[in-house]
Amino acid sequence: MTGVVDQLLQLSGPVAYAVIAALVFAEAALFVGFVLPGETAVLLGGVLASTGHLTLWLLLVIVVVAAVVGDSVGFEVGRAFGPRLLGVRPMRRHASRLEQAQGYLRDRGGRAVVLGRWTAFLRAVMPALAGASRMHYPRFLAFNAAGGLVWGVGVTLAGYFAGTSYQLVATRLSQAGAVAAALVLLGALYAWHRHRRLHPTGSESSSKPPSTSDEAP
C-alpha cells in the first residue's frame, strides 16, 4: 500500500485526475474498493491540490461525479446480477446479515446509502445491495448524489488542508467509517426486529385446533 501511495503522490495534471476518477468510479462499479479504497486516492488528490499539482475545484467536480456515476453502475450490476453476487462463497458466509441489510435498504435505504459512503467495505457493496434489493433508482440516486457530494467534498478538503499530515486524517476517517458501519448494522437489526414484531410467524395460532360450532351428541 505504501508503494501505491508514493506513486499516487508523484502524479500530476491529467494523469492524476484520470487515476483518481478511475479509482473512485471502480470502487463500487467494479468492486475495486476491496483492494484499494477510493477514499485513499481522493485524500491524496487533496494533498496534491494543496501543493499546487492539481486544481482544487476541478478535483472536487471529478471526485463527486465519479463517485455518483460509479455507484449508479454498481446499482445496475446489483439489480442485474444480484442473486449471483450474493451466491458467491464470501457472501454466503454472511447470508443472514445480508438479508437483514437488504430489508433495511428496502425500508429505509436512503440513510444506509449515505452512511455507507464512510467505510470502505460498504462503499464497495452498498450500491450492488441496493440494486439487488430492488430499491427504486430515483430514490437511490437522490441519496447517492447527496452522499457522494458530502463524502467527495469532505475527503478532498480533508486532504487539502491536512497536506503532509494526511496519514492522521486517514486514521480519523477510518475510525469514522467504523462508526458508520456500526450505525448501518444497528439500523438493519432494528428493522429486522421490528419486522418480526409486526409480522409474527403465526406458529402459535396455527398449532391451535380448529373450533367447531357443533358438539357431538
Side-chain angles (χ1 to χ4, degrees):
M1 179 66 73
T2 302
V4 175
V5 169
D6 291 338
Q7 291 180 9
L8 288 173
L9 289 174
Q10 298 300 319
L11 300 177
S12 63
V15 176
Y17 292 123
V19 170
I20 294 170
L23 289 175
V24 173
F25 169 84
E27 183 171 34
L30 304 176
F31 306 102
V32 172
F34 289 111
V35 180
L36 179 64
E39 189 172 78
T40 302
V42 176
L43 189 64
L44 295 177
V47 175
L48 290 173
S50 70
T51 59
H53 289 83
L54 299 178
T55 302
L56 180 60
W57 70 265
L58 180 57
L59 177 63
L60 289 170
V61 172
I62 289 174
V63 168
V64 172
V65 171
V68 174
V69 174
D71 277 24
S72 293
V73 173
F75 177 90
E76 294 299 331
V77 170
R79 182 155 62 178
F81 304 104
R84 296 181 184 178
L85 289 174
L86 298 178
V88 298
R89 183 175 299 177
M91 293 295 189
R92 289 200 303 266
R93 297 174 182 174
H94 307 284
S96 61
R97 293 183 180 181
L98 288 171
E99 289 177 3
Q100 294 170 12
Q102 284 182 299
Y104 182 59
L105 278 165
R106 282 191 294 267
D107 297 335
R108 301 173 182 82
R111 283 172 285 181
V113 170
V114 174
L115 288 173
R117 279 283 181 189
W118 298 96
T119 183
F121 176 79
L122 290 179
R123 247 191 338 269
V125 302
M126 187 64 74
L129 281 178
S133 300
R134 295 298 188 267
M135 179 188 290
H136 294 296
Y137 178 71
R139 185 165 183 259
F140 170 81
L141 180 60
F143 285 99
N144 176 35
L149 179 64
V150 174
W151 174 81
V153 172
V155 176
T156 302
L157 291 180
Y160 180 82
F161 290 114
T164 56
S165 302
Y166 70 90
Q167 292 180 338
L168 177 62
V169 176
T171 301
R172 295 291 183 266
L173 288 173
S174 178
Q175 293 172 347
V179 173
L183 290 175
V184 171
L185 177 60
L186 288 174
L189 291 174
Y190 170 77
W192 173 73
H193 178 69
R194 187 168 182 269
H195 177 79
R196 287 195 63 183
R197 290 186 60 187
L198 295 177
H199 303 85
T201 58
S203 57
E204 181 179 352
S205 59
S206 61
S207 63
K208 295 180 180 180
S211 59
T212 58
S213 57
D214 298 330
E215 297 182 356

